Amino acid sequence: MTILRRRLLTGALGGGALLTLAGCDSVSDSPEVQDVLGRVEGLDRWLQRRLQGRDALAREFTAADISREFRANGSTSVDDPDYQRLAEGGFADWRLTVDGLVQRPLSLSLAELRAMPSRTQITRHDCVEGWSCIGQWSGVRLASILALAGLQPAARYVVFHCADTLERTLDNSGQYYESIDLIDAAHPQTILAYDMNGAPLPVAHGAPLRVRVERQLGYKMAKYVMRIEVVDSFSSLGRGRGSFWADRGYEWYAGI
Ligand SMILES: Nc1nc2c(c(=O)[nH]1)N[C@H]1C(S)=C(S)[C@@H](COP(=O)(O)O)O[C@H]1N2
Ligand SMILES: [Mo]
């Protein structure tokens, strides 16, 4: 499936275009290239949905498969006094804000999240850099949170605002954020995880709460989630492409 998809995508772009573009900011910022990338992304999403079905589950593994060492990547700590104060207090004063295009904005403590029905899954995390690790994640389904908040009719995407600033920029667009559409938000394996391998999520892996969206690449799995915002477009976020890495030329959808 992945090879088939790659072939089709490479064909659509004409040979090695994809490779040449990866990680090349000046080229990938041009409108023509963005247009081609945009269309290929649409094709990617279309193919995934047609070939696999929108609610296909990611493979789940057994306890014996859990990686002994789970690599931490991107931000592994948060350089923000408010976050550090919350961490020192064991996140007892931390709250998850849920707002935007919802009927009832929420402010949920970790205890409240832990009191909700939970889901545990052992899955493989695939980073775009070419490494994978298997871990066990427990948390609350994003669908449960959204049901609690209620969506407004215009709702289209769920945005995760994170505590960490991965890149220091003059326009302050370096704060990590991610977003997914409502189909992936409703997927049974899409959870907000507070436990990893049976223990509270370590700071390096996104304490106190991180996203698991198991049919997508690692960078979609936002760590240090402070706020969930429901939106109808990306225009008011970062540089407007829906995620920290999408703003920097990577694919927004990032399905695997
Ligand atoms: N807030 C935040 N979330 C993030 C990142 C980050 O830098 N900041 N890095 C992403 C990337 S590229 C990967 S591969 C995974 C790494 O998760 P891990 O540290 O648990 O391995 O987190 C993703 N989520
Ligand atoms: Mo990654």
Side-chain angles (χ1 to χ4, degrees):
M1 161 56 203
T2 312
I3 289 170
L4 167 67
R5 188 156 53 89
R6 291 246 164 81
R7 288 237 174 89
L8 285 164
L9 291 180
T10 313
L13 268 178
L18 254 186
L19 274 182
T20 325
L21 296 176
C24 180
D25 276 340
S26 53
V27 177
S28 60
D29 275 342
S30 82
E32 293 81 9
V33 170
Q34 278 309 320
D35 188 44
V36 172
L37 285 175
R39 271 184 275 144
V40 170
E41 252 194 85
L43 177 64
D44 179 21
R45 223 172 307 162
W46 182 86
L47 274 170
Q48 288 240 343
R49 296 265 145 82
R50 291 306 174 287
L51 295 179
Q52 289 193 328
R54 46 207 267 151
D55 44 12
L57 294 178
R59 180 172 168 196
E60 294 197 15
F61 297 79
T62 68
D65 301 315
I66 294 175
S67 303
R68 249 173 280 145
E69 194 73 57
F70 198 109
R71 188 162 154 181
N73 202 40
S75 296
T76 52
S77 62
V78 178
D79 184 14
D80 170 65
D82 290 338
Y83 175 91
Q84 285 166 2
R85 191 177 37 78
L86 291 169
E88 275 159 28
F91 297 105
D93 294 330
W94 173 93
R95 292 282 182 289
L96 173 70
T97 299
V98 183
D99 62 6
L101 300 175
V102 295
Q103 313 274 359
R104 296 168 292 276
L106 307 173
S107 169
L108 300 166
S109 70
L110 211 46
E112 285 169 328
L113 289 174
R114 285 182 179 277
M116 291 176 69
S118 75
R119 182 189 161 90
T120 294
Q121 57 209 30
I122 301 174
T123 52
R124 196 185 64 214
H125 178 106
D126 298 310
C127 174
V128 72
E129 293 167 3
W131 55 269
S132 302
C133 290
I134 293 176
Q136 176 186 283
W137 309 96
S138 303
V140 53
R141 280 188 59 188
L142 180 57
S144 309
I145 306 275
L146 295 180
L148 211 58
L151 294 177
Q152 290 182 20
R156 286 193 66 191
Y157 304 104
V158 180
V159 181
F160 307 103
H161 294 281
C162 307
D164 58 314
T165 299
L166 190 53
E167 189 190 352
R168 301 267 160 208
T169 59
L170 288 177
D171 64 350
N172 248 342
S173 63
Q175 193 183 337
Y176 205 90
Y177 76 104
E178 258 300 343
S179 62
I180 60 175
D181 64 22
L182 294 182
I183 297 167
D184 290 312
H187 190 280
Q189 288 169 321
T190 300
I191 64 171
L192 297 168
Y194 42 67
D195 282 348
M196 175 185 188
N197 297 336
L201 197 60
V203 166
H205 295 287
L209 198 71
R210 67 110 37 101
V211 175
R212 296 301 310 172
V213 45
E214 303 291 0
R215 290 184 51 209
Q216 273 139 299
L217 282 173
Y219 61 80
K220 299 300 289 183
M221 319 249 188
K223 307 196 280 190
Y224 317 111
V225 176
M226 307 297 281
R227 174 178 170 219
I228 291 177
E229 183 190 11
V230 179
V231 300
D232 59 359
S233 99
F234 301 147
S235 56
S236 64
L237 305 160
R239 299 177 187 164
R241 291 183 194 152
S243 96
F244 178 94
W245 285 114
D247 282 343
R248 286 156 182 79
Y250 285 77
E251 193 191 358
W252 172 77
Y253 189 68
I256 46 175

PDB file of all heavy atoms in Angstrom, residues 8 34 39 53 120 130 132-133 151-152 156 159-160 167 179 182 188-189 193-194 196 218 220 238 246:
ATOM      1  N   LEU A   8       2.530   6.176  -7.045  1.00  0.00           N
ATOM      2  CA  LEU A   8       1.538   7.051  -7.654  1.00  0.00           C
ATOM      3  C   LEU A   8       1.917   8.513  -7.439  1.00  0.00           C
ATOM      4  O   LEU A   8       1.809   9.331  -8.333  1.00  0.00           O
ATOM      5  CB  LEU A   8       0.157   6.771  -7.049  1.00  0.00           C
ATOM      6  CG  LEU A   8      -0.488   5.481  -7.555  1.00  0.00           C
ATOM      7  CD1 LEU A   8      -1.631   5.085  -6.650  1.00  0.00           C
ATOM      8  CD2 LEU A   8      -0.980   5.663  -8.985  1.00  0.00           C
ATOM      9  N   GLN A  34       3.816  24.888  -4.010  1.00  0.00           N
ATOM     10  CA  GLN A  34       2.786  24.688  -2.997  1.00  0.00           C
ATOM     11  C   GLN A  34       1.518  24.138  -3.636  1.00  0.00           C
ATOM     12  O   GLN A  34       0.829  23.297  -3.089  1.00  0.00           O
ATOM     13  CB  GLN A  34       2.464  26.008  -2.274  1.00  0.00           C
ATOM     14  CG  GLN A  34       3.460  26.326  -1.180  1.00  0.00           C
ATOM     15  CD  GLN A  34       3.674  25.175  -0.217  1.00  0.00           C
ATOM     16  OE1 GLN A  34       2.744  24.472   0.160  1.00  0.00           O
ATOM     17  NE2 GLN A  34       4.912  24.952   0.189  1.00  0.00           N
ATOM     18  N   ARG A  39      -2.002  19.598  -4.269  1.00  0.00           N
ATOM     19  CA  ARG A  39      -2.792  18.632  -5.028  1.00  0.00           C
ATOM     20  C   ARG A  39      -2.372  17.203  -4.707  1.00  0.00           C
ATOM     21  O   ARG A  39      -3.198  16.311  -4.615  1.00  0.00           O
ATOM     22  CB  ARG A  39      -2.680  18.913  -6.523  1.00  0.00           C
ATOM     23  CG  ARG A  39      -3.767  19.900  -6.974  1.00  0.00           C
ATOM     24  CD  ARG A  39      -3.734  20.100  -8.454  1.00  0.00           C
ATOM     25  NE  ARG A  39      -2.770  21.121  -8.806  1.00  0.00           N
ATOM     26  CZ  ARG A  39      -2.008  21.078  -9.908  1.00  0.00           C
ATOM     27  NH1 ARG A  39      -2.099  20.077 -10.729  1.00  0.00           N
ATOM     28  NH2 ARG A  39      -1.165  22.057 -10.158  1.00  0.00           N
ATOM     29  N   GLY A  53     -10.080   2.747   3.901  1.00  0.00           N
ATOM     30  CA  GLY A  53     -11.284   3.026   4.667  1.00  0.00           C
ATOM     31  C   GLY A  53     -10.960   4.030   5.753  1.00  0.00           C
ATOM     32  O   GLY A  53      -9.903   3.973   6.369  1.00  0.00           O
ATOM     33  N   THR A 120      -6.483   2.119  26.096  1.00  0.00           N
ATOM     34  CA  THR A 120      -5.053   1.798  26.094  1.00  0.00           C
ATOM     35  C   THR A 120      -4.719   1.093  24.793  1.00  0.00           C
ATOM     36  O   THR A 120      -5.461   0.207  24.354  1.00  0.00           O
ATOM     37  CB  THR A 120      -4.710   0.894  27.299  1.00  0.00           C
ATOM     38  OG1 THR A 120      -4.914   1.641  28.507  1.00  0.00           O
ATOM     39  CG2 THR A 120      -3.252   0.428  27.255  1.00  0.00           C
ATOM     40  N   GLY A 130      12.879   8.696  10.024  1.00  0.00           N
ATOM     41  CA  GLY A 130      13.254   7.338   9.666  1.00  0.00           C
ATOM     42  C   GLY A 130      13.473   6.380  10.826  1.00  0.00           C
ATOM     43  O   GLY A 130      14.148   5.373  10.668  1.00  0.00           O
ATOM     44  N   SER A 132      11.484   4.271  14.270  1.00  0.00           N
ATOM     45  CA  SER A 132      10.200   3.856  14.834  1.00  0.00           C
ATOM     46  C   SER A 132      10.412   3.268  16.222  1.00  0.00           C
ATOM     47  O   SER A 132      11.454   2.662  16.482  1.00  0.00           O
ATOM     48  CB  SER A 132       9.552   2.780  13.957  1.00  0.00           C
ATOM     49  OG  SER A 132       9.367   3.248  12.649  1.00  0.00           O
ATOM     50  N   CYS A 133       9.423   3.447  17.095  1.00  0.00           N
ATOM     51  CA  CYS A 133       9.441   2.818  18.417  1.00  0.00           C
ATOM     52  C   CYS A 133       8.018   2.378  18.734  1.00  0.00           C
ATOM     53  O   CYS A 133       7.050   3.016  18.297  1.00  0.00           O
ATOM     54  CB  CYS A 133       9.880   3.802  19.495  1.00  0.00           C
ATOM     55  SG  CYS A 133      11.616   4.270  19.417  1.00  0.00           S
ATOM     56  N   LEU A 151     -19.825  20.304  19.105  1.00  0.00           N
ATOM     57  CA  LEU A 151     -19.257  21.073  17.995  1.00  0.00           C
ATOM     58  C   LEU A 151     -20.297  22.020  17.427  1.00  0.00           C
ATOM     59  O   LEU A 151     -21.482  21.686  17.354  1.00  0.00           O
ATOM     60  CB  LEU A 151     -18.790  20.121  16.884  1.00  0.00           C
ATOM     61  CG  LEU A 151     -17.628  19.195  17.234  1.00  0.00           C
ATOM     62  CD1 LEU A 151     -17.332  18.264  16.057  1.00  0.00           C
ATOM     63  CD2 LEU A 151     -16.390  19.997  17.607  1.00  0.00           C
ATOM     64  N   GLN A 152     -19.847  23.178  17.024  1.00  0.00           N
ATOM     65  CA  GLN A 152     -20.713  24.081  16.260  1.00  0.00           C
ATOM     66  C   GLN A 152     -20.726  23.616  14.801  1.00  0.00           C
ATOM     67  O   GLN A 152     -19.782  22.969  14.352  1.00  0.00           O
ATOM     68  CB  GLN A 152     -20.194  25.523  16.358  1.00  0.00           C
ATOM     69  CG  GLN A 152     -20.369  26.114  17.749  1.00  0.00           C
ATOM     70  CD  GLN A 152     -19.892  27.568  17.815  1.00  0.00           C
ATOM     71  OE1 GLN A 152     -19.770  28.242  16.792  1.00  0.00           O
ATOM     72  NE2 GLN A 152     -19.623  28.039  19.021  1.00  0.00           N
ATOM     73  N   ARG A 156     -14.443  22.346  11.553  1.00  0.00           N
ATOM     74  CA  ARG A 156     -13.794  21.508  10.533  1.00  0.00           C
ATOM     75  C   ARG A 156     -12.513  20.846  11.019  1.00  0.00           C
ATOM     76  O   ARG A 156     -12.200  19.739  10.607  1.00  0.00           O
ATOM     77  CB  ARG A 156     -13.465  22.340   9.297  1.00  0.00           C
ATOM     78  CG  ARG A 156     -14.689  22.679   8.477  1.00  0.00           C
ATOM     79  CD  ARG A 156     -14.310  23.212   7.121  1.00  0.00           C
ATOM     80  NE  ARG A 156     -13.651  22.195   6.304  1.00  0.00           N
ATOM     81  CZ  ARG A 156     -13.041  22.469   5.163  1.00  0.00           C
ATOM     82  NH1 ARG A 156     -12.965  23.695   4.710  1.00  0.00           N
ATOM     83  NH2 ARG A 156     -12.459  21.492   4.469  1.00  0.00           N
ATOM     84  N   VAL A 159      -7.427  21.798  16.559  1.00  0.00           N
ATOM     85  CA  VAL A 159      -6.055  22.306  16.668  1.00  0.00           C
ATOM     86  C   VAL A 159      -5.524  22.029  18.071  1.00  0.00           C
ATOM     87  O   VAL A 159      -6.239  22.219  19.059  1.00  0.00           O
ATOM     88  CB  VAL A 159      -6.025  23.832  16.403  1.00  0.00           C
ATOM     89  CG1 VAL A 159      -4.601  24.367  16.497  1.00  0.00           C
ATOM     90  CG2 VAL A 159      -6.641  24.144  15.050  1.00  0.00           C
ATOM     91  N   PHE A 160      -4.277  21.568  18.140  1.00  0.00           N
ATOM     92  CA  PHE A 160      -3.626  21.324  19.427  1.00  0.00           C
ATOM     93  C   PHE A 160      -2.568  22.399  19.623  1.00  0.00           C
ATOM     94  O   PHE A 160      -1.607  22.474  18.850  1.00  0.00           O
ATOM     95  CB  PHE A 160      -2.987  19.937  19.444  1.00  0.00           C
ATOM     96  CG  PHE A 160      -3.953  18.848  19.056  1.00  0.00           C
ATOM     97  CD1 PHE A 160      -3.922  18.281  17.795  1.00  0.00           C
ATOM     98  CD2 PHE A 160      -4.930  18.424  19.952  1.00  0.00           C
ATOM     99  CE1 PHE A 160      -4.831  17.295  17.423  1.00  0.00           C
ATOM    100  CE2 PHE A 160      -5.845  17.440  19.587  1.00  0.00           C
ATOM    101  CZ  PHE A 160      -5.793  16.875  18.330  1.00  0.00           C
ATOM    102  N   GLU A 167      10.949  26.798  17.692  1.00  0.00           N
ATOM    103  CA  GLU A 167      11.846  27.694  16.952  1.00  0.00           C
ATOM    104  C   GLU A 167      11.596  29.117  17.407  1.00  0.00           C
ATOM    105  O   GLU A 167      10.451  29.561  17.477  1.00  0.00           O
ATOM    106  CB  GLU A 167      11.562  27.580  15.445  1.00  0.00           C
ATOM    107  CG  GLU A 167      12.574  28.297  14.581  1.00  0.00           C
ATOM    108  CD  GLU A 167      12.139  28.382  13.115  1.00  0.00           C
ATOM    109  OE1 GLU A 167      11.130  27.769  12.743  1.00  0.00           O
ATOM    110  OE2 GLU A 167      12.807  29.084  12.360  1.00  0.00           O
ATOM    111  N   SER A 179      -2.818  20.079  13.841  1.00  0.00           N
ATOM    112  CA  SER A 179      -4.262  20.009  13.662  1.00  0.00           C
ATOM    113  C   SER A 179      -4.624  18.758  12.882  1.00  0.00           C
ATOM    114  O   SER A 179      -3.808  18.234  12.117  1.00  0.00           O
ATOM    115  CB  SER A 179      -4.776  21.250  12.927  1.00  0.00           C
ATOM    116  OG  SER A 179      -4.197  21.329  11.640  1.00  0.00           O
ATOM    117  N   LEU A 182     -11.954  16.375  11.327  1.00  0.00           N
ATOM    118  CA  LEU A 182     -12.923  15.762  12.239  1.00  0.00           C
ATOM    119  C   LEU A 182     -13.024  14.250  12.052  1.00  0.00           C
ATOM    120  O   LEU A 182     -13.439  13.536  12.974  1.00  0.00           O
ATOM    121  CB  LEU A 182     -14.300  16.414  12.063  1.00  0.00           C
ATOM    122  CG  LEU A 182     -14.369  17.888  12.491  1.00  0.00           C
ATOM    123  CD1 LEU A 182     -15.790  18.415  12.326  1.00  0.00           C
ATOM    124  CD2 LEU A 182     -13.894  18.063  13.940  1.00  0.00           C
ATOM    125  N   PRO A 188     -11.294   5.830  16.564  1.00  0.00           N
ATOM    126  CA  PRO A 188     -11.237   5.260  17.920  1.00  0.00           C
ATOM    127  C   PRO A 188      -9.843   5.259  18.548  1.00  0.00           C
ATOM    128  O   PRO A 188      -9.723   5.293  19.773  1.00  0.00           O
ATOM    129  CB  PRO A 188     -11.736   3.813  17.732  1.00  0.00           C
ATOM    130  CG  PRO A 188     -11.889   3.599  16.279  1.00  0.00           C
ATOM    131  CD  PRO A 188     -11.871   4.918  15.583  1.00  0.00           C
ATOM    132  N   GLN A 189      -8.786   5.250  17.735  1.00  0.00           N
ATOM    133  CA  GLN A 189      -7.432   5.250  18.309  1.00  0.00           C
ATOM    134  C   GLN A 189      -6.866   6.659  18.491  1.00  0.00           C
ATOM    135  O   GLN A 189      -5.721   6.808  18.908  1.00  0.00           O
ATOM    136  CB  GLN A 189      -6.479   4.446  17.417  1.00  0.00           C
ATOM    137  CG  GLN A 189      -6.712   2.936  17.471  1.00  0.00           C
ATOM    138  CD  GLN A 189      -5.939   2.214  16.400  1.00  0.00           C
ATOM    139  OE1 GLN A 189      -5.836   2.701  15.274  1.00  0.00           O
ATOM    140  NE2 GLN A 189      -5.402   1.053  16.725  1.00  0.00           N
ATOM    141  N   ALA A 193      -3.236  11.187  25.382  1.00  0.00           N
ATOM    142  CA  ALA A 193      -2.599  10.231  26.296  1.00  0.00           C
ATOM    143  C   ALA A 193      -1.974  10.931  27.491  1.00  0.00           C
ATOM    144  O   ALA A 193      -1.272  11.930  27.341  1.00  0.00           O
ATOM    145  CB  ALA A 193      -1.541   9.425  25.542  1.00  0.00           C
ATOM    146  N   TYR A 194      -2.262  10.398  28.688  1.00  0.00           N
ATOM    147  CA  TYR A 194      -1.630  10.887  29.914  1.00  0.00           C
ATOM    148  C   TYR A 194      -0.694   9.842  30.510  1.00  0.00           C
ATOM    149  O   TYR A 194       0.073  10.140  31.428  1.00  0.00           O
ATOM    150  CB  TYR A 194      -2.673  11.350  30.945  1.00  0.00           C
ATOM    151  CG  TYR A 194      -3.894  10.431  31.058  1.00  0.00           C
ATOM    152  CD1 TYR A 194      -3.772   9.150  31.565  1.00  0.00           C
ATOM    153  CD2 TYR A 194      -5.150  10.860  30.644  1.00  0.00           C
ATOM    154  CE1 TYR A 194      -4.877   8.306  31.655  1.00  0.00           C
ATOM    155  CE2 TYR A 194      -6.262  10.031  30.729  1.00  0.00           C
ATOM    156  CZ  TYR A 194      -6.117   8.750  31.225  1.00  0.00           C
ATOM    157  OH  TYR A 194      -7.201   7.917  31.302  1.00  0.00           O
ATOM    158  N   MET A 196       2.176   6.608  29.579  1.00  0.00           N
ATOM    159  CA  MET A 196       3.004   5.940  28.584  1.00  0.00           C
ATOM    160  C   MET A 196       3.636   4.724  29.259  1.00  0.00           C
ATOM    161  O   MET A 196       4.218   4.860  30.339  1.00  0.00           O
ATOM    162  CB  MET A 196       4.100   6.895  28.108  1.00  0.00           C
ATOM    163  CG  MET A 196       5.101   6.268  27.157  1.00  0.00           C
ATOM    164  SD  MET A 196       6.411   7.452  26.789  1.00  0.00           S
ATOM    165  CE  MET A 196       7.276   6.553  25.511  1.00  0.00           C
ATOM    166  N   GLY A 218       4.814  10.814  13.201  1.00  0.00           N
ATOM    167  CA  GLY A 218       5.132  11.271  14.555  1.00  0.00           C
ATOM    168  C   GLY A 218       4.895  12.746  14.812  1.00  0.00           C
ATOM    169  O   GLY A 218       4.482  13.126  15.904  1.00  0.00           O
ATOM    170  N   LYS A 220       2.598  14.613  13.923  1.00  0.00           N
ATOM    171  CA  LYS A 220       1.201  14.954  14.207  1.00  0.00           C
ATOM    172  C   LYS A 220       0.874  14.764  15.695  1.00  0.00           C
ATOM    173  O   LYS A 220      -0.136  15.259  16.183  1.00  0.00           O
ATOM    174  CB  LYS A 220       0.248  14.071  13.382  1.00  0.00           C
ATOM    175  CG  LYS A 220       0.372  14.190  11.881  1.00  0.00           C
ATOM    176  CD  LYS A 220       0.105  15.571  11.343  1.00  0.00           C
ATOM    177  CE  LYS A 220      -1.336  16.013  11.391  1.00  0.00           C
ATOM    178  NZ  LYS A 220      -1.482  17.355  10.761  1.00  0.00           N
ATOM    179  N   GLY A 238      -0.360  30.255  13.208  1.00  0.00           N
ATOM    180  CA  GLY A 238       1.025  30.216  12.707  1.00  0.00           C
ATOM    181  C   GLY A 238       1.156  30.912  11.372  1.00  0.00           C
ATOM    182  O   GLY A 238       0.769  32.074  11.210  1.00  0.00           O
ATOM    183  N   ALA A 246       3.947  21.763   8.908  1.00  0.00           N
ATOM    184  CA  ALA A 246       3.325  22.112   7.621  1.00  0.00           C
ATOM    185  C   ALA A 246       3.725  23.534   7.236  1.00  0.00           C
ATOM    186  O   ALA A 246       3.972  23.816   6.060  1.00  0.00           O
ATOM    187  CB  ALA A 246       1.811  21.973   7.706  1.00  0.00           C
TER     188      ALA A 246
END
